[in-house]
Amino acid sequence: MPRILVIHGAGMNMRGKVQTEIFGPMTLPQYDERIRGDAAELGLEVEIFHSNIEGEVVNKIYEANDRGIDAAAFGTGYPALVAALSQVKFPTIEVHISNPIRRGPASQTAAVSQGVVAGFGVAGYALALRGLKDLLAAKK
């Protein structure tokens, strides 16, 4: 069974508390519950990690690589994340609940990701999981 690492980056713990007009009323625990359900329906094992600290996210990405986790999905990032993602052997999908292009330029991590899902709310995670499952199946 493919193992997928979902990484929630900075600010995701504020979902459902602030900017609900952009991101909706769901809280991070509600997102996690939905993601686990979507993964189960697709026959995927999912590990979920959140940190507001870029270094912790970078460490988790390298740890996933060392543990043989097949893929990761994550939010926006910074230069250290770009470097980390370009060095690991698994495919990555960047997931945005809203459409960030409406508010500014695309993230730098999108350039080193196999795909980006944006603007579909929590359903974007299911799209990313499905895409990762298909990418992994094509590699076999």
Side-chain angles (χ1 to χ4, degrees), residues 107-127:
S107 79
Q108 295 175 330
T109 54
V112 294
S113 297
Q114 279 66 37
V116 177
V117 177
F120 293 98
V122 71
Y125 287 96
L127 294 170

Side-chain angles (χ1 to χ4, degrees), residues 3 59-69 87-90:
R3 293 180 297 157
N59 286 340
K60 192 68 172 179
I61 290 167
Y62 287 136
E63 175 191 310
N65 187 70
D66 292 345
R67 287 178 32 221
I69 299 268
Q87 295 172 357
V88 295
K89 59 186 172 190
F90 49 75

Side-chain angles (χ1 to χ4, degrees), residues 18-41:
V18 299
Q19 295 181 302
T20 56
E21 70 282 359
I22 296 171
F23 301 109
M26 287 182 71
T27 64
L28 185 57
Q30 291 170 322
Y31 274 92
D32 292 348
E33 182 179 333
R34 173 84 177 263
I35 291 165
R36 284 187 181 94
D38 291 339
E41 286 180 20

